[in-house]
Amino acid sequence: MIAYSAEAKQLGVGILYNPALPDFLRTHLQAVDYVSVIPDTFWYDQGVGAPDRFREIGGYVEFLDWLAPQVPLVVHGLGMSIGSAELFDLEHLEQLRRWHERYQFRWHSEHLSFARIAAEDGGEHNAGLALPVPYDADVLAMIGERVERVRETIPAPFLLENNVYYAAIPDQEMTEPEFLNRLSGSHGCGLLLDIHNVHTNAINHGFDPHKFVDDLDLASVLEIHIAGGNEIAGVYTDSHAGPCPERVWELLDHVTAKARNLLGITFEFHESYYPLLNDEGIETQLAQARQIWERHHA
Amino acid sequence: MSLLTFQRALADFAASPDLCRAAIADPVPVLRSYELSSRERLRLASMVRDRLMATNCVLYRVNRVTPIYVFFPMTCQVLGRELRRELETFWSTHRGTDLQYFPETERFVRFLKQRVRTGELQNEFVEEIVEYEAAAMELRFASSESDSLIREVRFVHDPARLLNLLAESAMLPVDLPRGEYRVIIDARDGEMTVRLASTSLGLEGKTAGPVDRLR
């Protein structure tokens, strides 16, 4: 089953929205071909079953309403927690569908991980960070079923992002590329290949990032994320700390040349690093990504 | 059930370096409290010994401290050396996070005020500063169309001096003038301004001077 991109349009180079960006976007909108947004940061989620559950944050949504008519938007979700055992939130999915109708997002993506945990009292709590799922057959079946549910609900390509992980889960039934290939091959989701996640995992777990991406079915890669990172307590982390390292650019060039269905390259940084980048720094990162995009996809 | 229990255990380890240390010292009793398959027990026993489990613990803390540090920098400043203790107590008594900035910081504000009320936290500045920053945060997220864009916060120390000292990251003197002050935070013009309200203390019309422009 390969259904992830037949009708989707190539966009080019985009940026992941964060609260430091409104001024940049008001003055440099021509620097991006699309904007990726995390819908969960535009509302307060008052919890499953709560009346008026998704309370929108007025000031944030006003900016999105300004942005939407001017530039294509795509979704990079945080709240689905598609890897959570015994928890798949249909109210949240319905909220994404409502927002899709409202903003006509070009595609949706989510993280291949879990953060929400079903609690014994019927509620839930949050792990406080995205944690990896085991690459086992039963987990593949669980996530595959959910991917199909998302695709039935939202009429747009749905992508899952390869995870960054620190303590590795041993004795898994599949490698990460095998797991990702089966998800896209059998369940029709695209892959959001986060190159900085690959770079971070390669450093911390000692594998060859080029071999990792070459083991993937790169025809399923519809979006690429690029970012920077830094060391925290002696470990390289995916902190989105400003400009991309050189090895991320090399890997981006390598993958972009082979990912024939690629729709866009998204630069992401954490808002707290805006003073390091400034508008000029953001423009430089976007221009470098555009050079690579145009070399292979113009 | 087993995958769910595995995820609960993994999240417990990420949230608690103490639990990791206990499992490294002797995994059997720690893991016995979770209903796990033998493969999951072996996986978790290996993961807690992985040096990168410490990174999970650090990231858990970074993710939880970020909204507090971003929106309550002056509260962090007035807590000073007490900050670490208060955060650890908050995290150990409020495991339920959802990583949403507003609810997480609301919980922290309620926690701090309760700690002051019960006398477990003795800090003469924290209550007014946490109220002030909570009001400013509300205004940052408010809609210009449907929400009130003005807030009033009561201070018991001279707010102009207190806020300016904090803005300069200066030490707070023990003899800061005390009184009853009402501070108005006003976001109606698109930017937040801060001024003293008319009070019964003869300060009518007086503004807070250098702290007029909050951001």
Side-chain angles (χ1 to χ4, degrees):
Chain A
M1 182 197 298
I2 297 181
Y4 29 75
S5 70
E7 70 292 352
K9 183 171 179 276
Q10 286 196 324
L11 294 181
V13 174
I15 195 162
L16 181 66
Y17 178 81
N18 70 51
L21 277 172
D23 287 346
F24 175 83
L25 289 171
R26 285 186 197 283
T27 52
H28 298 76
L29 200 55
Q30 75 290 348
V32 294
D33 301 312
Y34 65 96
V35 175
S36 176
V37 297
I38 300 172
D40 313 82
T41 59
F42 288 82
W43 62 60
Y44 303 125
D45 181 351
Q46 304 188 87
V48 176
D52 188 24
R53 173 176 167 185
F54 299 98
R55 193 155 53 93
E56 292 180 359
I57 302 169
Y60 280 23
V61 173
E62 281 167 20
F63 183 74
L64 196 58
D65 288 339
W66 174 84
L67 197 59
Q70 307 189 64
V71 67
L73 300 177
V74 307
V75 160
H76 186 47
L78 264 183
M80 189 179 288
S81 193
I82 200 164
S84 289
E86 299 179 35
L87 188 159
F88 187 55
D89 184 350
L90 295 177
E91 288 179 4
H92 181 267
L93 181 58
E94 178 57 20
Q95 169 72 355
L96 289 175
R97 190 198 61 75
R98 282 193 292 269
W99 265 46
H100 182 78
E101 262 183 17
R102 181 162 150 192
Y103 292 111
Q104 297 296 305
F105 299 113
R106 301 301 179 91
W107 66 82
H108 288 242
S109 66
E110 263 289 344
H111 299 79
L112 179 53
S113 57
F114 77 94
R116 297 168 63 181
I117 301 165
E120 285 166 4
D121 62 2
E124 64 175 90
H125 66 93
N126 195 295
L129 73 166
L131 289 166
V133 292
Y135 298 133
D136 295 343
D138 58 341
V139 177
L140 178 70
M142 177 188 82
I143 293 175
E145 200 174 296
R146 293 171 178 184
V147 165
E148 289 170 20
R149 183 69 184 259
V150 174
R151 293 184 58 225
E152 286 162 14
T153 307
I154 298 173
F158 179 60
L159 288 54
L160 284 176
E161 178 186 314
N162 58 303
N163 197 25
V164 65
Y165 57 92
Y166 296 96
I169 301 175
D171 188 28
Q172 300 182 93
E173 293 169 11
M174 283 168 254
T175 65
E176 188 177 1
E178 281 169 355
F179 191 89
L180 294 169
N181 290 344
R182 289 206 196 180
L183 262 181
S184 58
S186 302
H187 301 283
C189 74
L191 177 59
L192 191 178
L193 180 60
D194 189 315
I195 284 184
H196 191 258
N197 286 354
V198 176
H199 174 68
T200 304
N201 292 339
I203 289 173
N204 291 329
H205 300 286
F207 62 77
D208 175 359
H210 284 79
K211 175 164 183 350
F212 179 94
V213 297
D214 287 342
D215 285 344
L216 292 169
D217 170 13
L218 291 178
S220 71
V221 175
L222 304 189
E223 184 184 0
I224 290 174
H225 274 186
I226 52 172
N230 58 10
E231 281 197 7
I232 298 178
V235 175
Y236 189 77
T237 63
D238 177 45
S239 53
H240 297 181
C244 303
E246 194 49 43
R247 286 186 179 172
V248 165
W249 293 118
E250 289 167 14
L251 203 54
L252 175 66
D253 191 55
H254 177 80
V255 174
T256 304
K258 297 180 174 182
R260 63 176 186 273
N261 294 315
L262 186 63
L263 303 175
I265 299 170
T266 310
F267 172 60
E268 41 180 10
F269 70 94
H270 190 273
E271 59 265 30
S272 58
Y273 291 94
Y274 175 76
L276 177 70
L277 279 166
N278 289 309
D279 290 359
E280 297 73 23
I282 297 169
E283 281 187 291
T284 302
Q285 297 296 299
L286 293 170
Q288 197 161 343
R290 188 174 298 286
Q291 265 187 1
I292 293 173
W293 170 264
E294 288 179 350
R295 189 177 304 146
H296 304 293
H297 287 273
Chain B
M1 185 63 185
S2 191
L3 178 62
L4 173 58
T5 315
F6 173 80
Q7 292 184 342
R8 281 181 185 153
L10 182 53
D12 287 349
F13 286 125
S16 173
D18 287 344
L19 190 65
C20 292
R21 279 190 282 272
I24 291 167
D26 189 356
V28 175
V30 173
L31 294 175
R32 195 184 291 136
S33 60
Y34 299 96
E35 209 175 298
L36 296 162
S37 68
S38 57
R39 180 168 71 170
E40 288 165 339
R41 262 195 304 279
L42 288 170
R43 281 176 170 173
L44 285 166
S46 164
M47 290 174 83
V48 291
R49 287 194 304 271
D50 188 328
R51 71 181 181 95
L52 295 173
M53 181 56 89
T55 306
N56 284 337
C57 296
V58 169
L59 292 176
Y60 173 88
R61 281 161 167 67
V62 167
N63 289 343
R64 289 203 74 176
V65 82
T66 296
I68 292 168
Y69 184 72
V70 166
F71 292 105
F72 292 80
M74 291 194 286
T75 303
C76 293
Q77 206 177 326
V78 298
L79 283 168
R81 289 180 184 173
E82 296 158 324
L83 175 64
R84 185 170 178 169
R85 184 195 67 207
E86 294 306 311
L87 285 174
E88 290 293 345
T89 308
F90 175 61
W91 291 333
S92 63
T93 55
H94 293 69
R95 269 292 308 279
T97 175
D98 51 20
L99 293 186
Q100 298 183 93
Y101 276 19
F102 208 68
E104 177 78 349
T105 52
E106 269 182 340
R107 281 189 286 270
F108 186 62
V109 169
R110 278 199 303 273
F111 164 81
L112 278 185
K113 285 158 76 172
Q114 173 74 8
R115 297 270 292 172
V116 171
R117 261 196 304 278
T118 58
E120 291 165 290
L121 171 60
Q122 294 186 349
N123 182 310
E124 63 173 314
F125 301 110
V126 74
E127 206 164 7
E128 59 204 312
I129 291 299
V130 80
E131 288 277 9
Y132 172 79
E133 290 189 307
M137 183 178 177
E138 274 180 28
L139 289 175
R140 282 183 67 166
F141 288 121
S143 162
S144 59
E145 288 170 5
S146 57
D147 297 325
S148 164
L149 296 177
I150 194 159
R151 295 286 184 282
E152 180 181 306
V153 182
R154 290 180 181 279
F155 274 68
V156 294
H157 296 93
D158 177 348
R161 281 200 62 195
L162 179 54
L163 294 173
N164 279 320
L165 285 166
L166 289 170
E168 292 161 6
S169 300
M171 291 283 286
L172 297 178
V174 289
D175 58 348
L176 214 56
R178 294 182 72 97
E180 289 178 30
Y181 307 89
R182 289 188 299 133
V183 167
I184 303 296
I185 312 175
D186 190 339
R188 287 175 298 181
D189 293 335
E191 292 207 342
M192 271 189 247
T193 57
V194 182
R195 66 177 187 274
L196 275 179
S198 300
T199 72
S200 58
L201 301 176
L203 292 168
E204 285 82 358
K206 184 177 175 183
T207 67
V211 293
D212 249 11
R213 198 164 173 278
L214 192 66
R215 62 168 186 151

